[in-house]
Amino acid sequence: MDLHKFDEEKDSPTFPSQEEDESLQSSLSSSSRTFIRFSRAFQRHVVYNCTHHNQQAQNQGKFLETDLSVYHDCQCDQTLESFLFLDEAMSKYPNATLIKLVDVGVEHDEDDYDTVLAGMGTLPSHQMLSECDVQCATEEARLKVLSYLASITLSGQRMPLPPPGSSYLKQMRETVIKRLESEIPHRRLYSHTRESIHRNYDRLVDILTRARVRRVARKVMGNEKSLGDDDDINSKIIEGVDSLLMELTKAGLCFTEGGARAVIAEFPQVCLYVVREVEDRIRFMTLPIHEQIRKEHMERRGMAKRDVDYYSMMRKGYGAGLTLQQATQAIRAVPQFLSMYHEDSKKPSMLYFYKELGVSPQLLEQARLELGSRLSGCDSSDTYSFAYLNSIGVDWVNIRLLMDAVPLITFCDKEPGWEVLEKSSPVRSELDVGMLNFLRKRLQIYNSDLHAMIKVHSRISSYKVCNNILPTLNAIQDRLMVSSRDLQRIVLRMPSITGMSIESTDAKTSALDARIDFFINEANLSHNDLKEALLKQPSLLQYSIDTTLRPKLQFLVEELHIDKSSIPRIIRTSPAILGLSLTQNIMPKIAIIQEECNLSSNDIGIIVVTVPSILSLSLKKKIKPCFEFLRSKLQLTNPSDLGSIILSSPRILMHGVDTSLSPKLQMIQQALLYEGLSDTRSISEMISIVKKNPSILATSNTILRARIDKYIYEGKSLKESFKPKSVGRKKIYTQQNIDKPMREASSRVGVKKGHFTTNSNRNSFDETKQSGTSMPDLQHSSSLRDIKKLPFSLYDFQNEPVSIVAFASGSIFPADDINTVRGTRRAGGIAIQFPQLTEAGEVFHSRFQDATRLSFGMIMPRTDISNLPQYGLVQAGFPFLRPSRARCELYACHGALKVTLQLLKQTAEEKNMRDVDVNIDIYTHSTYAWNLLKDSEILLDWGSASTVEDVHFDIPGPLSLANTDLLFPLTKTMHRMANNAVINRSRNKRLCIGRTVNIRFQYIGDLLYDEEIGKVTKELQYAAKKAAIWQYERL
């Protein structure tokens, strides 16, 4: 069966069907064996079955020398899959034989860490490389190899060479030898001879010219009319010969013989490679791209696809989608696209691309835009090389795929970059390329990941691989018993652990061993528990034992009476609590819960063991609003009643008031009204149901809605149906310890009853500062429906107050979570919606567009509106440094104010607004932004200052949290609007935008919750995220 057939016209391969592939796999004899080999072309560990191996190889044990008879090269070999990390391959295929490569290994990797293979973990490199006695490899033999490579280089020169034996030719040869000696490590020469290089040279020339030979053969066959008069017969003959040629020659390019020799002369290192690896690289470049892969790489988000099995994809007949002509032209211009070692990936100078290849600055900018963060940490010559690929017709989708599949196609940037240099942390002015390459191989990461690591922990630039990084990573992986992939996640989230102390002495235990000993022996964690906790919170390895870890452990056991057997569960499920301040966070938080719920320390311990993450909840955002909501809605006058509910179902505290608790109560009340109860009776019944079964509030909105619909459909009474049941209820952990009051803990931190406010509805910056602002009664709040009913009377007012309402939201991309590399470049976006304009439709659309253009410099085009409203919505990029969720939310509020100002200016140009009162309400779902902006009088006072230095920002908490670079411009805009200090700069005249301009920033949760407000909130957040993605792709 032919694995490779070429269509006569398209010159593109077709591949066996699924049935044929399954038939081929089932035909493998029982004598087949499983092998693992390292593919340098893809930097992956390939697992395959092979039926063609000699009998002698069967008895050579676990590790097998590379041999043509076991090389994954014939159609009977069955590729199983490939892995980034060797330990994953060996874990899944424990009986597989590991094939050694032909390169020379060393006994200790610290002596030459360049021998380390990508993803091999803690396995010594000499177990994966051939054993060659380097001492026996004479200097003379090495120089002979270099001399022969120099001859290859000189023979391919396009300019005439001096006569043989001349001193100038000898000088040229010595210069080339010195250059090659500096570029090629000595170890790569020891496994080669002049004969092996000559053999590789001939085979490479053959590969680079194969496609040309094949086309010539097809042309000859196509003109051979004597074969028959029937065109169908001729086509079948042509197809058969073409298939035979492809089966014999495999992948190849369209070089002439002279062109092939010139490419090899330009890049002589290729003669030291395994030729079949070069063939695999070329095959992948020229195979058609899979449609699903194309769709995944259409978006310019710059997020590399790590876990795609690119090698298996190549074996199935899919690749990067370059044509033969494009691949030939690309390798002719940049032979480094064939590199199999990191040190060989350095491209020619930028001047070469600019002068010789004609890469324009405009094309470079387009490359930076299209490839995004994939270029972070890459050498500038890489940008030029990819821009050149696009100039010869290669689509950006194909280039992104090539970058993701072939890590060696890029070279590390030795310059740290301005983002690193601007920090006060120490960093080397020129990075060690060897160190960068080692991290790329050891952790299987991209250059963008390296760049992010150095941004987070710049000291890593001064670490030595042999003394610090290599032994530390091996020690962490060995002693914590984590996989290579888990190690990758830990290091990317906490790069500073590469500098940990790992060597213990009689006098002192290393930092790593001390922390492992604490968690295993004192906290009673198993190795699996510790691994799970570290993957969630890698910083556990860097917390101080004496000042951070041990005091919290003692507090949980001694103060909250938690049994030591429950400690592992707490740390495993919520390790973040070990990083919280005991005296400033955990103890005051527990004291408030105890006082407001009248709970004992034993009760608090039960709650913590049941839901450990409660200790990591924000007292301002979650706990206190939840308490206030339950007291108000369930009419709880006794703290013991509140405590009974929380103790019965502590998971209630994990649910948000506006998104979860309030909608649930409304669902229940509406269902009771449907049963025929009056408003008053429905409220009392709702309270009774929830008090008897508080776990209702701990379920999801979807599940509760489904249960209510089911009971209504079956005609069951809600009161009877919601009675507590033991089936399916989550376990509440109980303890038999003696009650020990919490008063000692509260007295130690100076917390007294009443010192914490119990009626503030959301967070403030300081937990101990009384807010004085109570949570509004949701039953008397306005709803989104009421807002939409407000006419947009700005352009058609009759001396009546004009009301303008806007919703603002901000977001970042990528999100900062455990799966995202710390230090990754991020972008921000905002979305602002004016619901009145949405309802008005196209009437004021042009005016709204003019207002947004004058307010923002980077507006997202509305090419894909999906389910978002077509009118009254603007999406824009965040134009400032340090994008974060909080900063984007704050800027979104300012953006809404700026658009409103432009709308008012439009009207003031046309009509007299001196007798018109203007009320502006801007809603945000960010408690951070709302707490900064809720007091309009303070904002106007700040805005009256001339400069930011003149303002005394009287806010609780650190001033840096206020983001004054964004807050002060907002207050200036607000001050100008409120004081009618608006100027038309084109006409240089003052405008009156209203008799009085009242501006309020409100929390979106203050609106009466219904499905519509929930939908609008989610749509706005989605729109802000889309804007952040758009901003990320364009920067």
Side-chain angles (χ1 to χ4, degrees), residues 534-732:
L534 284 174
L535 290 176
K536 295 178 180 178
Q537 192 81 6
S539 55
L540 290 178
L541 287 178
Q542 295 198 311
Y543 291 154
S544 169
I545 295 177
D546 295 328
T547 61
T548 301
L549 297 176
R550 188 172 286 122
K552 293 187 181 66
L553 180 61
Q554 292 174 348
F555 177 79
L556 294 174
V557 174
E558 298 175 6
E559 302 292 347
L560 301 185
H561 317 300
I562 296 175
D563 191 83
K564 283 191 175 182
S565 61
S566 299
I567 295 297
R569 180 181 183 275
I570 294 175
I571 297 177
R572 184 181 70 250
T573 57
S574 187
I577 63 177
L578 295 180
L580 302 176
S581 170
L582 182 60
T583 57
Q584 298 181 16
N585 191 307
I586 295 178
M587 294 171 70
K589 189 181 299 179
I590 290 176
I592 289 299
I593 296 175
Q594 185 178 13
E595 291 180 1
E596 296 202 8
C597 298
N598 196 25
L599 296 174
S600 66
S601 58
N602 192 63
D603 295 333
I604 298 293
I606 294 175
I607 292 174
V608 171
V609 176
T610 305
V611 189
S613 54
I614 282 179
L615 289 183
S616 61
L617 294 179
S618 169
L619 186 64
K620 302 166 290 185
K621 292 184 180 181
K622 282 280 191 180
I623 297 176
K624 292 168 71 174
C626 182
F627 286 167
E628 181 63 25
F629 176 84
L630 294 175
R631 272 195 295 263
S632 172
K633 296 304 177 182
L634 302 184
Q635 300 177 8
L636 304 175
T637 57
N638 190 343
S640 297
D641 296 336
L642 177 61
S644 177
I645 291 177
I646 298 300
L647 187 60
S648 174
S649 185
R651 291 180 179 85
I652 291 176
L653 292 176
M654 304 296 296
H655 291 254
V657 170
D658 305 304
T659 59
S660 181
L661 300 180
S662 179
K664 289 186 180 72
L665 295 185
Q666 292 185 27
M667 290 180 198
I668 297 172
Q669 185 180 357
Q670 290 170 1
L672 292 170
L673 289 172
Y674 183 81
E675 290 183 355
L677 276 65
S678 64
D679 289 346
T680 306
R681 181 72 185 279
S682 64
I683 294 175
S684 63
E685 286 295 329
M686 174 198 68
I687 294 173
S688 175
I689 290 174
V690 174
K691 282 184 177 181
K692 292 179 179 179
N693 188 6
S695 62
I696 294 174
L697 299 181
T699 189
S700 69
N701 292 3
T702 304
I703 293 176
L704 180 61
R705 169 58 65 188
R707 289 180 63 184
I708 292 175
D709 292 342
K710 177 184 175 182
Y711 298 150
I712 293 176
Y713 177 78
E714 295 176 352
K716 294 182 180 180
S717 168
L718 234 64
K719 184 176 181 180
E720 294 298 322
S721 300
F722 275 123
K723 283 184 177 180
K725 298 180 179 66
S726 59
V727 179
R729 303 192 71 186
K730 294 185 177 180
K731 179 181 179 182
I732 299 291

Side-chain angles (χ1 to χ4, degrees), residues 493-552:
R493 291 298 298 174
M494 188 58 58
S496 55
I497 68 171
T498 54
M500 285 190 70
S501 165
I502 60 169
E503 297 294 336
S504 297
T505 62
D506 295 337
K508 185 179 180 181
T509 305
S510 69
L512 177 62
D513 290 334
R515 283 158 180 79
I516 294 176
D517 180 73
F518 170 82
F519 286 114
I520 299 296
N521 296 325
E522 295 190 41
N524 297 324
L525 271 71
S526 66
H527 278 91
N528 287 334
D529 291 337
L530 179 57
K531 179 175 70 173
E532 185 177 346
L534 284 174
L535 290 176
K536 295 178 180 178
Q537 192 81 6
S539 55
L540 290 178
L541 287 178
Q542 295 198 311
Y543 291 154
S544 169
I545 295 177
D546 295 328
T547 61
T548 301
L549 297 176
R550 188 172 286 122
K552 293 187 181 66

Side-chain angles (χ1 to χ4, degrees), residues 19 174 198 236 239 257 280 405 474 522 533 554 699 792 909 929 970:
E19 292 77 11
E174 291 176 353
H198 182 73
K236 292 181 179 179
E239 181 181 350
E257 184 172 337
D280 283 347
N474 286 348
E522 295 190 41
Q554 292 174 348
T699 189
F792 193 72
E909 291 280 356
L970 182 150

Side-chain angles (χ1 to χ4, degrees), residues 624 757 759-764 769-774 930-931 934:
K624 292 168 71 174
T757 176
N759 63 345
S760 69
N761 58 335
R762 272 162 287 274
N763 75 319
S764 61
K769 182 170 181 176
Q770 187 162 347
S771 170
T773 304
S774 61
W930 181 81
N931 278 287
K934 61 185 178 182

